[in-house]
Amino acid sequence: LLEKMADVSLKEAALIVGVVAVCYWNSLFCGFVFDDVSAILDNKDLHPTTPLRNLFQNDFWGTPMSEERSHKSYRPLTVLTFRLNYLFSELNAVSYHFLNLVFHVVVCIVFLKVCKLFLDSRSSIVACLLFAVHPIHTEAVTGVVGRAELLSSIFFLAAFLSYTKSKGPDNTIVWTPIAVTVFLVAVATLCKEQGITVVGICCVYEVFIAQGYTLPALLDTAVQILRGKGSIPFSMLQTLLKLIVLMFSTLLLVVVRVQVIQSQLPVFTRFDNPAAVSPSPARQLTFNYLLPVNAWLLLNPSELCCDWTMGTIPLVESLLDVRNVATLTFFCFLGSLMVFSLRYPGDSSKTVLMALCLIVLPFIPASNLFFPVGFVVAERVLYVPSMGFCILVAHGWKKLSNKSVLRKISWVCLAAVLFTHALKTLHRNWDWESEYTLFMSALKVNKNNAKLWNNVGHALENEKNFERALQFFIQATQVQPDDIGAHMNVGRTYKNLNKTKEAEESYMIAKSLMPQIIPGKKYAARVAPNHLNVYINLANLIRANESRLEEADQLYRQAISMRPDFKQAYISRGELLLKMNKPLKAKEAYLRALELDRTNADLWYNLAIVYIELKDPTEALKNFNRALELNPTHKLALFNSALLMQESGDARLRPEAKQRLLHYVKEEPQDSNGYFNLGMLAMDDKKDTEAEAWMKKAIRLQPNFRSALFNLALLYSQTGKELMALPVLEDLLRYYPDHTKGLILKGDILMNQKKDIVGAKKCFEKILELDPNNVQGKHNLCVVYFEEKDLIKAEKCLVETLALAPHEEYIQRHLNIVRSKIASLGAVEQSSLPSDGTAATEAKKKSFQNLKEAKSEKTTTQSTVDNKEHSKNKKATEKSSVDKETPKKSTKEIKDIEKKRVAALKRLEEIERILNGE
């Protein structure tokens, strides 16, 4: 490439760099907008954890080429550059925009070299400067996904420059440049599909430039040969040989490309390209009219728009439509240029011919000539055709400037064009700053495109401005009443505004617009895959009503019947079946989804949740681990697998559980649940200081964290820091006045440590107000009566407590002591019974289930509407703290409880000796 640039002087290169920098410096301040979201932010192929082979199996947007929803845009080398950006700066938009700017500079420099093949040095600079500043390029340069155009153009031009060196002395063939050309064509095609069109330009160059033929001369030779009056000249045979090699190589590339897309064209809706599904003659008239529309954008780029789909350009449905005049004028002008360039010899005709080739041939893939495309007009596809346009303008300017009368005017006009274009480009870049600015700028140009109204709504929706978003979505339905996606957006926004009735009505309208099933005709080919999400969204809405779960299930099954490969339907149905307490059927749904996509970490995670419901923690952990193999940063899998390890009671799993929780808090530093469970792990390992630190961090993030507050107080009480536990308990009871065990623990500390009998009595009385049958609270209140020397009341209280828990030996023993004391009143100095401190202590961490209180949110990654809505379904794996008792205890925990009971019995024996006067 450097050798090909050798005759571009340093001054010329510096001029180009300076001009591009002046025009595009502000692009560095733009974010990821429009298609960048799908290609960069949502594309897992950029992540270092994704195998490199996936880049060659998926399309530009990260969707497997085998899937019907794939756009079939195969550009692995472009995605590889995105991945390199991600490797060095992750999702810092500046680096992506900077690399685009650099690639545009490279294209301009290589283009200058190409210009010098057909223009003089001054005109080449003019063409290059016009190309560098042309506003039509903002979409390709400032839009990150436009990098496909930039990279493809670099190798496109390099392939052409290589081919120009294939003619040796005496018209011999030099094969090395041809081999390099074929290689560069393949590379250009792997950056973007239009790269293959350079082969056509090489063929035209070979015949009309390198060999110097004109069309009349070729026709005359062909006639002579057909009449048998002559033979094919040797030079022509050599030319044919070179062309055959080029054509064969091109055919091979086309075959490989068809194999890659598995002989399937992408599925586009009539909204993407209305003319493609229109009857004749509207289809042909509209497609032909789009050619002068594109030409006008090159000639007068004053009104630029990021999206020209849907109703932007109304269909040309009649021969009497006045717009056909523009089509006719365009073809007349183009035809006259072609006749001039092919018929007459000379440098001027050669320049015009190569300019026309650069305009026409690279545009063919976007012209709807061979297959429909997913857009009406796209400014970025004019990046290469604009090169031919700039050469034409520079050549015309050269003709004018050579005439003394027009020399000054030509220079003034040139300066004005370059200045205004540069200014327009600089101003246009700011439109790409955010999605809101981009789509609002588009609406100024065109108000008949429902997609633009939808996209402004999405931008506002992302900012949580649902009221304004709703206005734009409703406007989209008015502009295009049959736009299913717009009605879905309205429904989703009503749902976000908690207007479920209106949301359901909007979803029902969208559902009514779906194509009806036609017997014998494949439904999947007649509907955009995203539109089927109307069934998912409607089902997700109505399943909030417990009485409509079966109705929601019917909607999921209807979506599956329409598309048996509809993965999101299986996922959502699995979540519903779990809610309906049908885990086995949910398991079947997830296994079916996994048959469609075994690389989806969310599916393995969801299946793990099912196994938790089926009480199979071993299989659950295996599926969590599988999810983490596919996505090591899967936050929910990290969190819930750590909880599962903690719950198992297996000390060998604790180190791994800790590592996963540490990874989780690194990913979610503001989630107090992560720190709380790290604290519980530390308590399990008797690391009291570490446990205290984690608990405090959880409480700092969430001051009303119920379980963290209680367990921190419990930790203090277990480690001889009862007085430090009191302020923590005060905070707990301020947020949760009915926290029974908090009241028990506080009462115990007040009575045994602070000797505050009145305060303790209030705690125990509060417990009995909340739950008159609470044995611990009632027993401790009996102890308070004893401490107050009201033995009769204490006896009555203990009798009532024993009736509630007749098998509790310590209550019977305390009752015997009180009765003995009553019998020998005054004989022995009264001693005090212990409050049921052991009861509170035994409420200490018994098992994982008793102590952990956490929320896990299960999310799926299937986009539902225009890649803007994501299905989020919460699966509460509540591991409540001491508030939630479970009968299961580990052997170690049972031993701890027994030790506490033995200590309590010894204490009671000591009291008995005192009471009996021993």
Side-chain angles (χ1 to χ4, degrees), residues 245 437 638 650 717 819 824 856 861:
V245 170
T437 57
L638 285 168
D650 188 344
S717 71
R819 284 174 173 170
S824 58
S856 73
T861 58

Side-chain angles (χ1 to χ4, degrees), residues 460-510:
L460 292 167
E461 187 180 33
N462 290 338
E463 297 171 1
K464 308 299 181 186
N465 191 344
F466 298 122
E467 293 286 355
R468 280 198 68 203
L470 182 62
Q471 295 172 14
F472 282 89
F473 289 141
I474 290 174
Q475 182 64 33
T477 64
Q478 293 171 354
V479 170
Q480 190 88 37
D482 57 351
D483 182 6
I484 297 172
H487 290 287
M488 291 169 66
N489 292 338
V490 172
R492 186 182 65 254
T493 310
Y494 273 131
K495 182 183 176 183
N496 289 332
L497 293 169
N498 297 316
K499 296 181 179 180
T500 54
K501 181 182 177 183
E502 292 87 346
E504 185 173 348
E505 289 173 357
S506 295
Y507 284 141
M508 291 302 292
I509 294 172

